[in-house]
Amino acid sequence: MNYEKIKNESFELAQTTADERNAALKNLANLLKTHEKEIIEANNKDIQMAEKNSLSPQIISRLKFQGNKLKDAIKGIEDVISFEDPLFKTTLKRKLADTLTLKRITCPIGVIGVIFESRPDAMVQIAALCIKSGNAVVLKGGSEAKNSNILLASLIKEAGKEAGFGDNFINLLEDRSDVGELLKMHNYVDLIIPRGSNEFVSYIMENSKIPVMGHSDGVCNIYVDSDADIKKAVDIIIDSKTQYVSACNAAENLLVHEKIAPKLLPELQKTSATSIKLLGTKEVQDIIECETATEDDFRTEYLDYILSTKTVPSIDAAIKEINENSSHHTDCIISNNEQSIDKFTRAIDSADVFSNCSTRFADGYRFGFGAEVGISTGKLHARGPVGLEGLITYKYTLSGDGDIVKPYAEQEKTFNFVDL
């Protein structure tokens, strides 16, 4: 992989017009439609190999890229096309002195490396957002999606070249060993977005000088307050856990106020008996029959139909528990008390904090971002689902008329800061 060429390509991408970038996206949407048969064939090869290798049902579910998933990917591209151009927008304009004007303008980050899991649809989303934001991208998908990834990368490259892009705006790493090389390319790669386990993200951070943005585990919590509506709570809990169990925004822990637990837990167990395996602390087991939940269970991302459950004496106890054990991805309160909702929203230290709705809404497409490159649980630059805004940065421009600092330093001239 020639990273110097990729870096040079990023400078060319930064000079493209919105029309040129949208043309590449239109080409990509059309190619996904016209090559649907080949995409399904490649994807079926990956699925068959995954089944042969006895990979988990959760991985196989993520691996599928056909039917509604393919349609959603195309719709996501079309949404991204419709968005306003994010580049070279003036977000600050200030007159410093008579002939000095300062501007802050948005611009691409440059070269972005994304290491993602066994989801071919993630490749399409990432590529679409990088094209729209004028960034070159280096992609490393899961080896179990090799056939799908190779085909999709070739279609993305074809779409860009038809719009006048060079050969290096998208680059696919196929071997695990390539990741080690990527991590050393701090002179050419501006940002890495890893999607994987805590151990994997930590490894990336410890072995590269390149800035890292992303999240690891999705240990998401639901807290049911003392005055919650039982039916709404049960519906939200079941959807959050089961709608797509292998997603990082699926709920893993349930905290129930001890006053409502005797009513809620039996109803939840009855309604979800065939779909969710409840684990519970002693207080939960005093109310319903279930297997024991350990403290480690409340820090575990199952990606399975398992829900760790405990009772809490107050909303403050729930907040403390979540802030200590959550992965700071998505946490939710179910309550009819606006003061409790406000308290929870202010106090929970997570990228997404919801009230009275499923944690599964934590998604770039569902937020109206068109797509996402991932979820960031960090607090700098981007947080939550990372769409276009997370893939741009800014620069300051200052225009003058032969101005020098000396007269200002010697107080012969003064600044007269005026926002324009």
Side-chain angles (χ1 to χ4, degrees):
M1 191 69 66
N2 191 324
Y3 283 92
E4 186 174 0
K5 285 187 177 180
I6 297 170
K7 186 67 173 179
N8 289 334
E9 181 92 6
S10 74
F11 299 141
E12 295 176 13
L13 281 170
Q15 299 175 61
T16 57
T17 66
D19 287 343
E20 289 169 332
R21 284 177 269 119
N22 282 337
L25 291 172
K26 290 175 185 176
N27 294 340
L28 177 55
N30 289 332
L31 286 169
L32 291 178
K33 294 173 186 176
T34 57
H35 289 269
E36 180 179 3
K37 182 179 178 182
E38 295 95 316
I39 292 169
I40 293 173
E41 288 174 355
N43 191 230
N44 283 337
K45 286 182 183 179
D46 291 328
I47 293 169
Q48 289 163 10
M49 185 59 66
E51 291 172 342
K52 182 179 178 180
N53 292 332
S54 301
L55 297 185
S56 71
Q58 292 78 23
I59 290 178
I60 293 172
S61 175
R62 288 186 172 195
L63 193 55
K64 290 180 180 178
F65 186 55
Q66 44 193 282
N68 287 335
K69 278 192 178 181
L70 180 54
K71 290 177 183 176
D72 287 346
I74 294 169
K75 177 63 168 58
I77 294 169
E78 292 169 345
D79 287 344
V80 171
I81 292 170
S82 70
F83 294 158
E84 183 180 357
D85 183 13
L87 298 182
F88 308 112
K89 303 295 182 187
T90 299
T91 59
L92 178 147
K93 187 176 182 181
R94 178 172 295 158
K95 190 173 184 179
L96 306 187
D98 288 344
T99 55
L100 282 172
T101 302
L102 177 73
K103 289 183 181 180
R104 183 176 62 213
I105 59 172
T106 59
C107 60
I109 289 173
V111 179
I112 298 174
V114 187
I115 308 169
F116 59 101
E117 72 284 28
S118 52
R119 283 183 50 200
D121 54 318
M123 173 176 283
V124 175
Q125 291 185 19
I126 294 162
L129 290 172
C130 285
I131 290 171
K132 183 78 175 188
S133 57
N135 290 289
V137 63
V138 179
L139 295 159
K140 175 63 176 79
S143 58
E144 59 275 14
K146 182 177 181 179
N147 292 291
S148 302
N149 289 342
I150 290 174
L151 176 57
L152 291 171
S154 69
L155 294 177
I156 295 164
K157 181 161 288 194
E158 182 180 342
K161 292 187 76 171
E162 287 179 2
F165 291 5
D167 288 329
N168 298 289
F169 78 95
I170 178 172
N171 308 269
L172 179 65
L173 303 180
E174 295 184 31
D175 298 322
R176 185 183 293 269
S177 59
D178 293 333
V179 174
E181 182 187 16
L182 169 64
L183 299 184
K184 298 174 183 176
M185 294 295 122
H186 54 271
N187 288 329
Y188 303 109
V189 178
D190 300 288
L191 178 68
I192 289 183
I193 303 175
R195 294 163 54 145
S197 67
N198 269 321
E199 293 78 13
F200 176 68
V201 175
S202 295
Y203 174 83
I204 298 294
M205 291 178 173
E206 292 167 4
N207 289 275
S208 183
K209 297 179 182 178
I210 303 169
V212 176
M213 176 175 71
H215 84 285
S216 50
D217 292 346
V219 182
C220 303
N221 298 264
I222 293 177
Y223 164 62
V224 182
D225 203 15
S226 59
D227 62 351
D229 181 286
I230 298 290
K231 184 180 185 311
K232 286 181 181 178
V234 169
D235 288 346
I236 290 169
I237 294 164
I238 292 175
D239 186 84
S240 297
K241 177 75 260 187
T242 68
Q243 194 276 325
Y244 184 29
V245 72
S246 55
C248 59
N249 56 16
E252 304 291 3
N253 298 327
L254 174 64
L255 284 65
V256 185
H257 195 289
E258 60 188 16
K259 289 183 179 178
I260 201 173
K263 293 181 181 178
L264 176 80
L265 292 175
E267 184 63 27
L268 174 63
Q269 186 174 54
K270 182 178 72 173
T271 307
S272 66
T274 60
S275 59
I276 299 176
K277 177 182 177 180
L278 294 175
L279 305 181
T281 58
K282 181 183 181 302
E283 292 77 13
V284 171
Q285 291 176 318
D286 288 341
I287 300 171
I288 59 173
E289 186 175 337
C290 64
E291 293 184 22
T292 301
T294 68
E295 282 306 308
D296 282 344
D297 288 327
F298 291 94
R299 293 184 287 271
T300 300
E301 182 183 31
Y302 291 109
L303 302 176
D304 201 353
Y305 296 93
I306 302 170
L307 190 65
S308 300
T309 309
K310 67 167 54 177
T311 63
V312 289
S314 66
I315 185 173
D316 291 305
I319 290 168
K320 183 175 185 295
E321 172 82 19
I322 292 171
N323 281 339
E324 288 179 355
N325 292 327
S326 168
S327 62
H328 310 292
H329 187 301
T330 301
D331 299 298
C332 172
I333 180 174
I334 303 174
S335 176
N336 286 326
N337 187 312
E338 288 298 327
Q339 289 183 327
S340 294
I341 292 171
D342 184 62
K343 182 184 183 71
F344 187 89
T345 302
R346 289 171 181 263
I348 292 296
D349 183 25
S350 295
D352 302 303
V353 185
F354 294 175
S355 61
N356 296 320
C357 60
S358 172
T359 60
R360 286 282 293 122
F361 282 109
D363 176 81
Y365 178 75
R366 295 186 178 114
F367 279 13
F369 298 167
E372 66 181 40
V373 296
I375 301 280
S376 173
T377 52
K379 297 185 181 182
L380 300 179
H381 180 62
R383 200 177 193 197
V386 180
L388 283 178
E389 289 186 1
L391 296 182
I392 60 172
T393 184
Y394 55 81
K395 63 179 74 173
Y396 287 99
T397 67
L398 184 62
S399 60
D401 185 20
D403 298 87
I404 60 174
V405 168
K406 184 178 179 182
Y408 293 94
E410 295 179 354
Q411 299 184 345
E412 295 172 10
K413 288 186 176 182
T414 58
F415 294 107
N416 57 351
F417 304 115
V418 177
D419 287 335
L420 303 176

Short mmCIF file of all heavy atoms in Angstrom, two decimals, residues 88-96 100-108 393-400 419:
data_model
loop_
_atom_site.label_atom_id
_atom_site.label_comp_id
_atom_site.label_asym_id
_atom_site.label_seq_id
_atom_site.Cartn_x
_atom_site.Cartn_y
_atom_site.Cartn_z
N PHE A 88 -15.81 23.80 3.41
CA PHE A 88 -15.47 25.19 3.15
C PHE A 88 -16.62 26.15 3.48
O PHE A 88 -16.86 27.12 2.78
CB PHE A 88 -14.96 25.35 1.71
CG PHE A 88 -13.85 24.38 1.43
CD1 PHE A 88 -14.01 23.35 0.53
CD2 PHE A 88 -12.65 24.48 2.13
CE1 PHE A 88 -12.99 22.42 0.32
CE2 PHE A 88 -11.63 23.57 1.92
CZ PHE A 88 -11.80 22.54 1.01
N LYS A 89 -17.30 25.81 4.58
CA LYS A 89 -18.31 26.69 5.14
C LYS A 89 -17.64 27.60 6.17
O LYS A 89 -16.83 27.15 6.98
CB LYS A 89 -19.43 25.88 5.82
CG LYS A 89 -20.12 24.88 4.90
CD LYS A 89 -20.85 25.57 3.78
CE LYS A 89 -21.56 24.57 2.90
NZ LYS A 89 -22.14 25.21 1.71
N THR A 90 -17.99 28.86 6.15
CA THR A 90 -17.42 29.80 7.12
C THR A 90 -18.23 29.73 8.41
O THR A 90 -19.43 30.00 8.43
CB THR A 90 -17.46 31.24 6.56
OG1 THR A 90 -16.68 31.28 5.37
CG2 THR A 90 -16.89 32.22 7.57
N THR A 91 -17.57 29.32 9.49
CA THR A 91 -18.25 29.20 10.78
C THR A 91 -17.89 30.34 11.73
O THR A 91 -18.48 30.45 12.81
CB THR A 91 -17.91 27.85 11.44
OG1 THR A 91 -16.49 27.77 11.63
CG2 THR A 91 -18.37 26.69 10.57
N LEU A 92 -16.93 31.17 11.33
CA LEU A 92 -16.59 32.36 12.10
C LEU A 92 -15.94 33.36 11.14
O LEU A 92 -15.13 32.99 10.30
CB LEU A 92 -15.62 32.03 13.24
CG LEU A 92 -15.12 33.20 14.11
CD1 LEU A 92 -14.91 32.73 15.54
CD2 LEU A 92 -13.81 33.77 13.58
N LYS A 93 -16.34 34.62 11.26
CA LYS A 93 -15.71 35.68 10.47
C LYS A 93 -15.55 36.89 11.39
O LYS A 93 -16.53 37.38 11.95
CB LYS A 93 -16.57 36.03 9.26
CG LYS A 93 -15.89 37.02 8.30
CD LYS A 93 -16.75 37.25 7.06
CE LYS A 93 -16.06 38.19 6.08
NZ LYS A 93 -16.90 38.45 4.88
N ARG A 94 -14.30 37.34 11.56
CA ARG A 94 -14.03 38.38 12.55
C ARG A 94 -13.03 39.39 11.98
O ARG A 94 -11.98 39.00 11.46
CB ARG A 94 -13.49 37.75 13.82
CG ARG A 94 -13.12 38.73 14.92
CD ARG A 94 -12.79 37.99 16.20
NE ARG A 94 -13.96 37.29 16.72
CZ ARG A 94 -13.91 36.26 17.55
NH1 ARG A 94 -12.73 35.80 17.94
NH2 ARG A 94 -15.02 35.69 17.98
N LYS A 95 -13.37 40.63 12.09
CA LYS A 95 -12.44 41.69 11.71
C LYS A 95 -11.53 41.98 12.90
O LYS A 95 -11.98 42.40 13.97
CB LYS A 95 -13.22 42.95 11.32
CG LYS A 95 -12.37 44.03 10.67
CD LYS A 95 -13.25 45.16 10.17
CE LYS A 95 -12.43 46.22 9.44
NZ LYS A 95 -13.28 47.31 8.93
N LEU A 96 -10.22 41.74 12.72
CA LEU A 96 -9.27 41.97 13.81
C LEU A 96 -8.80 43.42 13.85
O LEU A 96 -8.55 43.97 14.91
CB LEU A 96 -8.05 41.05 13.65
CG LEU A 96 -8.32 39.55 13.51
CD1 LEU A 96 -7.00 38.79 13.53
CD2 LEU A 96 -9.24 39.04 14.61
N LEU A 100 -7.34 43.43 8.48
CA LEU A 100 -7.14 42.03 8.87
C LEU A 100 -8.48 41.35 9.11
O LEU A 100 -9.25 41.77 9.99
CB LEU A 100 -6.31 41.94 10.14
CG LEU A 100 -4.78 42.13 10.02
CD1 LEU A 100 -4.16 42.20 11.41
CD2 LEU A 100 -4.17 40.99 9.21
N THR A 101 -8.78 40.30 8.33
CA THR A 101 -10.03 39.56 8.49
C THR A 101 -9.73 38.08 8.71
O THR A 101 -9.04 37.44 7.91
CB THR A 101 -10.92 39.71 7.24
OG1 THR A 101 -11.19 41.10 7.03
CG2 THR A 101 -12.23 38.96 7.44
N LEU A 102 -10.25 37.57 9.81
CA LEU A 102 -10.06 36.17 10.20
C LEU A 102 -11.32 35.37 9.86
O LEU A 102 -12.43 35.82 10.10
CB LEU A 102 -9.79 36.08 11.71
CG LEU A 102 -9.64 34.68 12.30
CD1 LEU A 102 -8.29 34.09 11.90
CD2 LEU A 102 -9.78 34.73 13.82
N LYS A 103 -11.10 34.16 9.31
CA LYS A 103 -12.21 33.25 9.05
C LYS A 103 -11.85 31.86 9.58
O LYS A 103 -10.68 31.47 9.57
CB LYS A 103 -12.50 33.13 7.55
CG LYS A 103 -13.12 34.36 6.91
CD LYS A 103 -13.42 34.06 5.44
CE LYS A 103 -14.01 35.27 4.73
NZ LYS A 103 -14.29 34.97 3.30
N ARG A 104 -12.87 31.15 10.02
CA ARG A 104 -12.72 29.72 10.34
C ARG A 104 -13.57 28.96 9.34
O ARG A 104 -14.79 29.18 9.27
CB ARG A 104 -13.18 29.43 11.77
CG ARG A 104 -12.98 27.96 12.17
CD ARG A 104 -13.35 27.75 13.64
NE ARG A 104 -14.75 28.04 13.86
CZ ARG A 104 -15.23 28.55 15.01
NH1 ARG A 104 -14.42 28.86 15.99
NH2 ARG A 104 -16.52 28.79 15.15
N ILE A 105 -12.95 28.07 8.56
CA ILE A 105 -13.68 27.36 7.52
C ILE A 105 -13.52 25.85 7.69
O ILE A 105 -12.49 25.37 8.13
CB ILE A 105 -13.23 27.78 6.11
CG1 ILE A 105 -11.75 27.51 5.90
CG2 ILE A 105 -13.55 29.24 5.85
CD1 ILE A 105 -11.29 27.73 4.47
N THR A 106 -14.56 25.12 7.34
CA THR A 106 -14.53 23.66 7.45
C THR A 106 -13.71 23.07 6.31
O THR A 106 -13.64 23.63 5.21
CB THR A 106 -15.94 23.08 7.41
OG1 THR A 106 -16.58 23.45 6.18
CG2 THR A 106 -16.77 23.60 8.57
N CYS A 107 -13.10 21.91 6.56
CA CYS A 107 -12.29 21.24 5.55
C CYS A 107 -12.20 19.75 5.90
O CYS A 107 -12.52 19.35 7.02
CB CYS A 107 -10.89 21.86 5.48
SG CYS A 107 -9.97 21.76 7.04
N PRO A 108 -11.78 18.91 4.95
CA PRO A 108 -11.65 17.48 5.25
C PRO A 108 -10.55 17.21 6.27
O PRO A 108 -9.62 18.00 6.43
CB PRO A 108 -11.27 16.86 3.88
CG PRO A 108 -11.59 17.89 2.86
CD PRO A 108 -11.44 19.22 3.55
N THR A 393 -12.91 18.84 9.78
CA THR A 393 -12.25 19.66 10.78
C THR A 393 -12.34 21.11 10.29
O THR A 393 -13.22 21.42 9.47
CB THR A 393 -10.81 19.21 11.03
OG1 THR A 393 -10.24 20.00 12.08
CG2 THR A 393 -9.95 19.28 9.79
N TYR A 394 -11.48 21.97 10.74
CA TYR A 394 -11.52 23.35 10.25
C TYR A 394 -10.13 23.94 10.23
O TYR A 394 -9.18 23.41 10.82
CB TYR A 394 -12.46 24.22 11.11
CG TYR A 394 -12.14 24.24 12.58
CD1 TYR A 394 -11.14 25.06 13.10
CD2 TYR A 394 -12.85 23.42 13.46
CE1 TYR A 394 -10.86 25.07 14.45
CE2 TYR A 394 -12.58 23.43 14.83
CZ TYR A 394 -11.57 24.25 15.32
OH TYR A 394 -11.29 24.27 16.66
N LYS A 395 -10.00 25.03 9.51
CA LYS A 395 -8.75 25.78 9.48
C LYS A 395 -9.08 27.26 9.60
O LYS A 395 -10.21 27.68 9.29
CB LYS A 395 -7.97 25.52 8.19
CG LYS A 395 -8.69 25.95 6.92
CD LYS A 395 -7.85 25.69 5.67
CE LYS A 395 -7.80 24.24 5.31
NZ LYS A 395 -7.13 24.01 4.00
N TYR A 396 -8.11 28.03 10.07
CA TYR A 396 -8.28 29.48 10.15
C TYR A 396 -7.56 30.14 8.98
O TYR A 396 -6.43 29.77 8.65
CB TYR A 396 -7.71 30.02 11.47
CG TYR A 396 -8.56 29.69 12.67
CD1 TYR A 396 -8.22 28.61 13.49
CD2 TYR A 396 -9.68 30.44 12.99
CE1 TYR A 396 -8.99 28.29 14.59
CE2 TYR A 396 -10.45 30.13 14.09
CZ TYR A 396 -10.10 29.05 14.89
OH TYR A 396 -10.88 28.75 15.98
N THR A 397 -8.23 31.07 8.35
CA THR A 397 -7.58 31.86 7.30
C THR A 397 -7.55 33.31 7.76
O THR A 397 -8.51 33.80 8.38
CB THR A 397 -8.33 31.76 5.96
OG1 THR A 397 -9.61 32.39 6.08
CG2 THR A 397 -8.51 30.30 5.54
N LEU A 398 -6.47 33.98 7.48
CA LEU A 398 -6.32 35.39 7.85
C LEU A 398 -5.83 36.16 6.63
O LEU A 398 -4.81 35.82 6.04
CB LEU A 398 -5.30 35.53 8.99
CG LEU A 398 -5.10 36.94 9.56
CD1 LEU A 398 -6.39 37.47 10.17
CD2 LEU A 398 -3.96 36.95 10.58
N SER A 399 -6.60 37.15 6.22
CA SER A 399 -6.23 37.95 5.05
C SER A 399 -5.89 39.38 5.49
O SER A 399 -6.58 39.96 6.34
CB SER A 399 -7.36 37.98 4.03
OG SER A 399 -8.53 38.53 4.59
N GLY A 400 -4.80 39.89 4.95
CA GLY A 400 -4.37 41.25 5.31
C GLY A 400 -3.96 42.04 4.09
O GLY A 400 -4.23 41.65 2.95
N ASP A 419 -17.06 40.89 15.20
CA ASP A 419 -17.59 39.72 14.50
C ASP A 419 -18.47 40.17 13.35
O ASP A 419 -19.34 41.04 13.50
CB ASP A 419 -18.40 38.84 15.46
CG ASP A 419 -17.50 38.09 16.42
OD1 ASP A 419 -16.33 37.86 16.06
OD2 ASP A 419 -17.97 37.73 17.52
#
